[in-house]
């Protein structure tokens, strides 16, 4: 869907897939069988007022707390859209692996993956398109803004889970720590490519690390890079880059992670 060219065969400026394919086709990257799982957060807005679904017009719901992964008409808003999207993605052959209500009411998440290499980005873009079509039918606006409501509300990200063959094998925890160290050295370059308006989200609050700070930790939701407890315990596995914004281009993010950790 995103691999578009001019009549002369030159990639158009928004074709980020072209460069990503070069990185993923590099022998070293291909040999490592990079796996990605992308957590796409998004916000559903009331069409005529540009205000989150389920929120009183001109006002605010109760504070965050009871909405995350919640059920109930007073806590979960738009589940019919979310369920329809999940089923449509399954029908389309998207490797969608889950959905959940997010911390801010009216905000949801779906996960694509684990998928190998560039396929993760291909599938996420098509899944976004399917969601846009379903929200259109429902008369609801889809927002991928990383901080649609300012103040004491969670933003929207696209946490990107990543592993290589070496990370998934015995001794992989050492490989993971080396990769994280490389990511830290290129923090500024990654942040610049991780989505527009991300500075409004990465404040050091609401389960984020400050945009100017790079830190990692085990089971730390306030870190730039989070390593799971199971990965630490097993000595192998994957890690999660929590910096990408919800409006990031997955071709840019996934290929950049592969490039930084495997080619530099």
């Amino acid at each position: 869907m995103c691999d578009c060219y001019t009549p002369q065969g030159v990639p158009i400026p928004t074709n980020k897939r072209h460069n990503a394919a070069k990185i993923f086709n590099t022998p070293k990257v291909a040999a490592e069988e990079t796996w990605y799982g992308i957590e796409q957060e998004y916000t559903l807005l009331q069409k005529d007022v540009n205000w989150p679904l389920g929120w009183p017009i001109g006002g605010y719901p109760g504070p965050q707390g009871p909405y995350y992964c919640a059920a109930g008409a007073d806590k979960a808003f738009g589940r019919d859209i979310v369920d329809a999207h999940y089923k449509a993605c399954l029908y389309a052959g998207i490797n969608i692996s889950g959905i959940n209500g997010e911390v801010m009411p009216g905000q949801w998440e779906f996960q694509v993956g684990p998928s190998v290499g560039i396929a993760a980005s291909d599938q996420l873009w098509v899944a976004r398109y399917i969601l846009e079509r379903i929200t259109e039918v429902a008369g609801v606006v889809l927002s991928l803004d990383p901080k649609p409501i300012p103040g004491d509300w969670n933003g929207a990200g696209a946490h990107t889970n990543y592993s290589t063959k070496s990370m998934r094998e015995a001794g992989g925890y050492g490989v993971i720590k080396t990769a994280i160290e490389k990511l830290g050295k290129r923090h500024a370059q990654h942040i610049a490519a991780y989505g527009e308006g991300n500075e409004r989200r990465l404040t050091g609050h609401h389960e984020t690390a400050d945009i100017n700070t790079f830190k990692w930790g085990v089971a730390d939701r306030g870190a730039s890079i989070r390593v799971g407890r199971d990965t630490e315990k097993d000595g192998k596995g994957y890690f999660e880059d929590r910096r990408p914004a919800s409006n990031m281009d997955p071709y840019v993010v996934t290929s950049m992670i592969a490039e930084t950790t495997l080619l530099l």
Side-chain angles (χ1 to χ4, degrees):
M1 185 175 76
C2 302
D3 204 17
C4 302
Y5 298 82
T6 67
Q8 291 74 35
V10 178
I12 64 172
T14 55
N15 182 354
K16 305 302 183 184
R17 191 184 194 279
H18 182 76
N19 187 61
K22 290 181 182 177
I23 293 171
F24 284 114
N25 287 330
T26 302
K28 190 171 183 180
V29 175
E32 281 288 351
E33 297 174 10
T34 53
W35 288 8
Y36 296 92
I38 304 173
E39 307 171 30
Q40 177 67 70
E41 295 177 344
Y42 60 94
T43 309
L44 299 174
L45 303 177
Q46 302 171 56
K47 183 167 69 73
D48 297 324
V49 292
N50 209 37
W51 202 235
L53 203 64
W55 289 36
I57 294 175
Y60 295 86
Q64 295 182 155
Y67 308 106
Y68 182 61
C69 297
D74 59 338
K75 295 183 286 293
F77 311 113
R79 191 183 298 278
D80 51 345
I81 293 169
V82 175
D83 283 349
H85 174 247
Y86 185 75
K87 292 171 184 175
C89 283
L90 289 175
Y91 182 80
I94 303 295
N95 190 23
I96 189 168
S97 47
I99 52 174
N100 62 271
E102 266 306 324
V103 179
M104 189 181 84
Q107 199 171 76
W108 294 82
E109 174 188 298
F110 67 88
Q111 300 96 32
V112 167
S115 299
V116 180
I118 205 165
S121 301
D122 289 339
Q123 293 191 16
L124 186 69
W125 268 118
V126 175
R128 282 175 170 178
Y129 173 73
I130 292 171
L131 182 56
E132 191 86 69
R133 289 290 302 271
I134 288 172
T135 53
E136 174 191 323
V137 171
V140 171
V141 174
L142 168 65
S143 172
L144 295 182
D145 189 282
K147 187 76 172 180
I149 305 295
D152 196 17
W153 303 95
N154 272 39
H159 300 156
T160 302
N161 299 276
Y162 171 72
S163 72
T164 63
K165 187 177 180 182
S166 299
M167 294 175 190
R168 298 187 294 269
E169 294 176 344
Y173 197 53
V175 180
I176 287 171
K177 288 196 280 189
T178 299
I180 293 172
E181 186 179 335
K182 289 181 177 181
L183 288 169
K185 290 176 180 176
R186 294 190 80 206
H187 178 64
Q189 293 95 316
H190 279 257
I191 287 295
Y194 272 19
E196 294 182 20
N198 211 11
E199 71 283 351
R200 293 183 281 116
R201 167 180 162 262
L202 296 180
T203 60
H205 304 288
H206 305 105
E207 301 179 298
T208 70
D210 181 82
I211 194 167
N212 297 311
T213 303
F214 181 88
K215 63 176 182 173
W216 74 278
V218 176
D220 185 355
R221 297 178 71 86
S224 314
I225 305 290
R226 178 173 68 160
V227 175
R229 292 192 192 278
D230 286 345
T231 295
E232 182 188 42
K233 187 178 92 175
D234 297 341
K236 60 183 179 179
Y238 70 96
F239 64 82
E240 173 193 39
D241 191 337
R242 297 177 62 81
R243 297 171 295 173
S246 49
N247 59 6
M248 62 84 159
D249 188 321
Y251 291 121
V252 174
V253 170
T254 58
S255 63
M256 197 171 190
I257 292 172
E259 180 184 45
T260 297
T261 59
L262 294 173
L263 300 178
L264 298 180

